[in-house]
């Protein structure tokens, strides 16, 4: 049991104003593995005041000073990488091999990407002869991050915000907060100046709402559900004008073209869907298959799903999946699997209930639904579990129409001959389109169209989110 009851405010670990205890539950056994305090508006006020004060100095820091600080952060993070992986595995159920190879290193990758940007990013440049364009830190940034890829999303915000010269207040998910506490320890050890980074644990009503509505917060950066993102926008709009960056939900299509290598493309799509137990906002959850090869696609997907091992996080082999991250998500996924059955979809693999051998823990069966149309609930709603729906199409034009028939637009996938896949990719309304299993890596802009969000994370695009643009008019060429 790890007790982390204090908040990190103005460079110190301080007790909450109104202590309210909250147990962190290990999803593998449904038992407490940690305890935190849930904060209040009073704690948010202290943290924002510290960030506002620190902004006066940190915003004027030099690029070399920011480089040196990020170098220190990266070094300490690397030293504590194993500890970070174990923490994430324990509190949100990621199999230890996944936590070691992806979850913890993803945070390191975003820090390294932010540091890399400082070598080439133009914060100032001459424009039209007599004007100077100045890109300056936006101010105090409120950050709210989720439980599914916790360090990935924390570092995707904190790294570029530090590089930009911003100060910040972070509210991580109360369902997986221990990694954020460890991250605050890393920043403290690395020498981040007091007030530049602040951590207040809490829930949405107690801390998230207060942070979003705070008049001294200049920008909110949020990752989570579309419903919660809408609430953040409303709170920001009702309490002054501030910038909002949102990375929200998805229901990403995976188009299997007629000429694709079916075995390779379909198996890859199912394995990607199940990665992180399906708890990725860009997961390829809707597989679109040509009618002429529909049953073959369903059979390959079902066979792949049935072969996926479900194992306890600490004992998991590479490629196995663990439990869902929390009880609420477990109940949601089970309910949506039952909803698919009730609406007439055919269960080709998996189904309701825990896998064999598990009578506790938030484990689910890798599931494949066939005979799905795009109007069914399981084709419209983000399930956020290892559940694939397979939808038939008659032509490429219909495939594109079905793919785009969603309120989301975070990611899309196309499998087939390169030239044809490129043509289809251009027609898809999504922030990322992956062709034949390709992935972008750090620095590639990540974000969505439509209800999948606003803004981008990663590379120069992610750094720009934390900057204002000033035109200094009449600023002649420098000597």
């Amino acid at each position: 049991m790890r007790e982390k009851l204090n908040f990190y405010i103005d460079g110190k670990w301080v007790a909450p104003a109104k202590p309210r205890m909250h147990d962190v539950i290990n999803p593998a056994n449904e038992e407490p593995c940690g305890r935190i305090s849930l904060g209040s508006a009073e704690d948010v006020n202290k943290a924002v005041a510290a960030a506002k004060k620190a902004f006066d100095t940190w915003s004027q820091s030099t690029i070399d000073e920011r480089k040196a600080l990020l170098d220190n952060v990266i070094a300490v993070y690397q030293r504590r990488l194993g500890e970070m992986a174990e923490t994430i595995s324990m509190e949100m159920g990621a199999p230890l091999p996944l936590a070691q190879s992806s979850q913890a290193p993803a945070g390191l990758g975003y820090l390294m990407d932010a540091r890399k940007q400082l070598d080439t990013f133009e914060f100032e440049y001459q424009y039209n002869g007599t004007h100077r364009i100045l890109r300056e830190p936006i101010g105090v940034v409120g950050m709210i991050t989720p439980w599914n890829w916790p360090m990935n999303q924390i570092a995707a915000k904190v790294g570029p915000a530090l590089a930009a010269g911003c100060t910040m207040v972070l509210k991580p998910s109360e369902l997986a907060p221990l990694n954020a506490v460890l991250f605050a320890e890393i920043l403290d050890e690395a020498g981040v100046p007091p007030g530049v980074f602040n951590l207040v644990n809490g829930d949405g009503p107690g801390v998230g709402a207060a942070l979003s509505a705070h008049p001294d917060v200049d920008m909110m950066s949020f990752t989570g559900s579309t419903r919660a993102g809408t609430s953040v926008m409303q709170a920001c709009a009702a309490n002054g004008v501030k910038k909002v960056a949102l990375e929200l939900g998805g229901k990403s299509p995976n188009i299997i073209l007629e000429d694709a290598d079916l075995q390779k493309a379909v198996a890859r799509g199912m394995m990607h869907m199940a990665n992180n137990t399906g708890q990725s906002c860009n997961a390829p959850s809707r597989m679109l298959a040509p009618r002429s090869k529909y049953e073959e696609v369903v059979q390959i997907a079902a066979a792949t799903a049935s072969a996926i091992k479900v194992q306890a996080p600490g004992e998991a082999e590479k490629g196995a999946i663990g439990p869902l991250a929390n009880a609420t998500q477990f109940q949601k996924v089970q309910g949506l699997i039952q909803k698919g059955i009730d609406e007439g979809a055919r269960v080709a693999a998996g189904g309701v209930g825990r896998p064999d051998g598990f009578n506790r823990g938030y484990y689910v069966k890798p599931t494949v639904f066939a005979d799905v149309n795009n109007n069914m609930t399981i084709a419209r709603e983000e399930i956020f579990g290892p559940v694939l729906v397979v939808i038939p199409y008659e032509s490429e034009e219909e495939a594109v129409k079905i793919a785009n028939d969603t309120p989301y637009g975070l990611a899309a996938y196309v499998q087939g001959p390169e030239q044809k896949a490129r043509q289809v990719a251009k027609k898809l309304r999504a922030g990322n389109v992956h062709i034949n299993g390709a992935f972008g890596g750090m620095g590639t802009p990540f974000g969505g169209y439509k209800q999948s969000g606003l803004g981008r994370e990663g590379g120069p695009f992610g750094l720009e989110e934390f900057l204002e643009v000033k035109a200094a008019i009449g600023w002649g060429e420098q000597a």
Side-chain angles (χ1 to χ4, degrees):
M1 171 72 81
R2 301 184 189 179
E3 282 206 346
K4 302 291 183 178
L5 303 180
N6 292 338
F7 304 146
Y8 186 72
I9 299 175
D10 204 16
K12 304 181 186 68
W13 292 99
V14 299
K18 301 172 183 176
R20 215 169 24 117
M21 300 301 102
H22 173 78
D23 284 342
V24 181
I25 303 300
N26 183 333
N29 57 24
E30 303 180 46
E31 296 178 358
C33 64
R35 182 172 295 133
I36 62 166
S37 301
L38 297 179
S40 63
E42 190 172 340
D43 301 303
V44 171
N45 289 341
K46 292 178 183 177
V48 172
K52 184 178 180 181
K53 179 181 178 183
F55 181 74
D56 289 342
T57 303
W58 184 243
S59 63
Q60 299 303 309
S61 59
T62 66
I63 301 302
D64 285 342
E65 288 171 335
R66 297 176 202 171
K67 286 180 180 180
L69 181 63
L70 280 165
D71 285 338
N72 289 346
V73 173
I74 289 165
V76 179
Y77 192 110
Q78 287 174 322
R79 181 163 49 78
R80 304 188 73 173
L81 188 64
E83 187 181 351
M84 182 64 76
E86 291 173 2
T87 300
I88 293 171
S89 180
M90 176 186 69
E91 66 180 335
M92 64 78 59
L96 194 54
L98 179 71
Q100 292 169 332
S101 66
S102 298
Q103 284 273 7
L108 178 61
Y110 268 113
L111 293 171
M112 294 175 73
D113 176 58
R115 169 60 180 84
K116 179 181 176 182
Q117 298 311 314
L118 291 179
D119 288 332
T120 56
F121 193 87
E122 285 190 295
F123 286 91
E124 294 187 21
Y125 60 91
Q126 206 66 19
Y127 176 74
N128 202 25
T130 60
H131 309 333
R132 189 78 173 169
I133 301 301
L134 312 175
R135 292 194 274 194
E136 301 176 339
I138 199 167
V140 176
V141 182
M143 300 173 174
I144 301 176
T145 55
W147 44 259
N148 61 318
W149 284 90
M151 275 313 307
N152 180 82
Q153 290 309 126
I154 290 172
K157 302 179 191 304
V158 173
L162 282 174
C166 294
T167 57
M168 62 214 77
V169 178
L170 169 66
K171 188 208 90 67
S173 170
E174 71 276 19
L175 301 177
L178 301 178
N179 66 93
V181 174
L182 175 56
F183 185 64
E185 293 175 2
I186 289 170
L187 296 184
D188 183 70
E189 184 179 344
V192 173
V196 171
F197 172 86
N198 303 273
L199 168 70
V200 178
N201 278 314
D203 55 19
V207 172
L211 191 58
S212 301
H214 202 290
D216 289 333
V217 170
D218 301 288
M219 173 183 174
M220 282 299 301
S221 181
F222 171 88
T223 299
S225 70
T226 298
R227 175 195 55 77
T230 300
S231 296
V232 169
M233 287 191 74
Q234 290 171 336
C236 290
N239 295 275
V241 176
K242 63 186 70 171
K243 184 173 183 179
V244 181
L246 303 173
E247 198 266 278
L248 308 176
K251 193 68 178 176
S252 302
N254 185 3
I255 299 176
I256 310 297
L257 295 175
E258 187 86 29
D259 302 327
D261 180 335
L262 290 191
Q263 180 63 45
K264 184 176 181 180
V266 175
R268 178 170 57 208
M270 181 63 224
M271 291 300 294
H272 186 185
M273 179 63 238
N275 185 47
N276 202 40
T277 318
Q279 299 168 122
S280 299
C281 48
N282 63 341
S285 53
R286 290 184 298 146
M287 185 172 285
L288 310 186
R291 176 77 69 179
S292 62
K293 298 181 178 179
Y294 184 73
E295 285 304 324
E296 186 178 356
V297 168
V298 170
Q299 289 172 11
I300 295 170
T304 305
S306 299
I308 294 172
K309 294 180 180 180
V310 182
Q311 297 176 328
E315 305 164 4
E317 304 168 23
K318 184 178 180 180
I321 66 172
L324 294 169
N326 54 73
T328 300
Q329 193 59 28
F330 177 78
Q331 292 160 4
K332 176 187 174 184
V333 171
Q334 294 292 338
L336 283 168
I337 292 174
Q338 185 59 55
K339 185 74 169 178
I341 295 170
D342 294 343
E343 291 186 353
R346 167 167 51 106
V347 177
V352 294
R354 290 181 173 88
D356 292 341
F358 293 95
N359 56 18
R360 66 182 311 181
Y362 306 130
Y363 297 93
V364 296
K365 302 172 184 176
T367 297
V368 176
F369 276 110
D371 302 339
V372 179
N373 66 65
N374 207 46
N375 294 317
M376 290 182 174
T377 302
I378 55 174
R380 306 300 297 179
E381 292 190 15
E382 185 177 36
I383 299 174
F384 230 54
V387 181
L388 179 72
V389 302
V390 188
I391 303 171
Y393 68 84
E394 300 290 349
S395 65
E396 285 179 24
E397 290 75 19
E398 186 184 25
V400 170
K401 182 178 179 181
I402 294 171
N404 289 334
D405 180 17
T406 172
Y408 300 110
L410 187 58
Y413 301 78
V414 187
Q415 321 284 339
E418 192 77 20
Q419 195 59 40
K420 189 180 292 185
R422 290 177 183 176
Q423 294 170 356
V424 172
K426 288 184 177 182
K427 300 174 184 177
L428 298 175
R429 300 275 295 162
N432 292 108
V433 181
H434 303 263
I435 297 173
N436 291 324
F439 284 88
M442 293 302 165
T444 303
F446 185 82
Y449 289 21
K450 299 185 281 186
Q451 291 186 30
S452 286
L454 301 167
R456 294 293 182 269
E457 293 177 334
F461 310 93
L463 181 54
E464 287 170 359
E465 293 292 335
F466 296 97
L467 297 170
E468 292 278 21
V469 177
K470 175 187 289 181
I473 300 166
W475 182 311
E477 294 282 359
Q478 291 184 317

